[in-house]
């Protein structure tokens, strides 16, 4: 797999070096396809290196793609070597019923229903990943429904995070120590989930 990815990366680099904008549109399209395939292969090789614990190589590959941050190599560790969750908390996510007021739930259901303006305004469906960031430490009251929901959920998450990370679930709007993350099953909690490229 690695050898194949490296061949595609090399072909993409050669195509980029020979790219001639005065070429016919068919040749330009073909060269652009090779360049794009090379960039995709470079990203895939960085993931492969991360899964194999080769963080420095992953950093070099990602930096060449213009990236400045990546997930920690520990995120890609096989489950047998991942940092285990605290005893007794493995097996299922925490489910809490009735924690949001009916008005907030109804508002979210309206705003996120199929055909709602939200989806078109945010370009869904999209092949690109993007996320939203909301400052839960801000003193101003939340305006958006999702911010209201997050503020209402924050104390509950912090309380449960304190069970997972003693001493880390408290203040500052952080549900766990800096850099902590969780997968949906609640069994793969790991610290240091993001990092600047070295």
């Amino acid at each position: 797999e690695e050898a194949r990815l490296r061949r595609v990366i090399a072909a993409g680099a050669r195509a980029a070096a020979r790219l001639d904008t005065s070429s016919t549109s068919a040749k330009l399209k073909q060269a652009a396809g090779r360049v794009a395939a090379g960039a995709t292969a470079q990203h895939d090789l960085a993931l492969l290196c991360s899964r194999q614990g080769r963080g420095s190589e992953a950093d070099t590959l990602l930096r060449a793609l213009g990236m400045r941050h990546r997930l920690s190599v520990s995120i890609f560790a096989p489950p047998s070597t991942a940092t285990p969750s605290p005893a007794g908390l493995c097996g299922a996510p925490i489910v809490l019923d009735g924690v949001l007021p009916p008005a907030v739930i109804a508002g979210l259901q309206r705003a996120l229903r199929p055909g709602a303006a939200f989806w078109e305004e945010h370009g869904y469906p999209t092949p690109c990943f993007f996320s939203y960031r909301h400052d839960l430490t801000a003193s101003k009251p939340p305006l958006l429904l999702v911010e209201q929901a997050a503020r209402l959920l924050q104390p509950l998450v912090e309380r449960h995070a304190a069970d997972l990370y003693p001493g880390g679930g408290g203040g500052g709007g952080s549900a766990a120590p800096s850099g902590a993350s969780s997968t949906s099953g609640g069994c793969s909690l790991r610290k240091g989930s993001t990092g600047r490229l070295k």
Side-chain angles (χ1 to χ4, degrees):
E1 175 67 9
E2 182 169 343
R4 183 191 67 78
L5 290 171
R6 290 192 184 279
R7 284 193 301 273
V8 176
I9 292 167
R14 285 192 303 273
R18 292 191 308 247
L19 195 60
D20 180 2
T21 54
S22 64
S23 297
T24 64
S25 63
K27 285 190 176 187
L28 272 176
K29 188 174 181 179
Q30 185 180 32
R34 284 194 184 118
V35 171
T40 301
Q42 189 160 330
H43 181 266
D44 291 348
L45 182 56
L47 287 174
L48 179 66
C49 289
S50 295
R51 286 195 304 267
Q52 295 174 347
R54 296 158 45 196
S56 294
E57 287 179 67
D59 288 352
T60 300
L61 292 162
L62 293 171
R63 193 177 298 106
L65 292 172
M67 297 180 190
R68 295 182 301 161
H69 296 85
R70 66 160 167 79
L71 292 173
S72 170
V73 171
S74 67
I75 292 293
F76 300 97
S80 60
T81 61
T83 305
S85 298
L89 296 177
C90 200
I94 296 170
V95 178
L96 304 170
D97 288 324
V99 296
L100 292 177
V104 173
I105 291 173
L108 289 169
Q109 288 172 330
R110 270 191 313 278
L112 300 174
R113 75 184 182 283
F118 171 88
W119 304 110
E120 184 178 342
E121 290 170 0
H122 291 81
Y124 280 99
T126 176
C128 304
F129 171 81
F130 63 92
S131 189
Y132 301 92
R133 182 183 180 281
H134 299 283
D135 184 0
L136 299 179
T137 63
S139 58
K140 62 181 180 173
L143 299 176
L144 302 175
L145 275 171
V146 71
E147 291 175 322
Q148 292 172 28
R151 285 274 181 96
L152 290 165
L153 292 172
Q154 183 179 3
L156 295 168
V157 171
E158 288 178 347
R159 201 162 43 246
H160 287 282
D163 294 337
L164 296 174
Y165 296 96
S174 174
S178 177
S181 74
S182 171
T183 60
S184 61
C187 289
S188 298
L189 297 165
R190 301 177 187 156
K191 294 183 182 178
S193 61
T194 60
R196 207 166 199 15
L197 293 180
K198 295 176 182 152

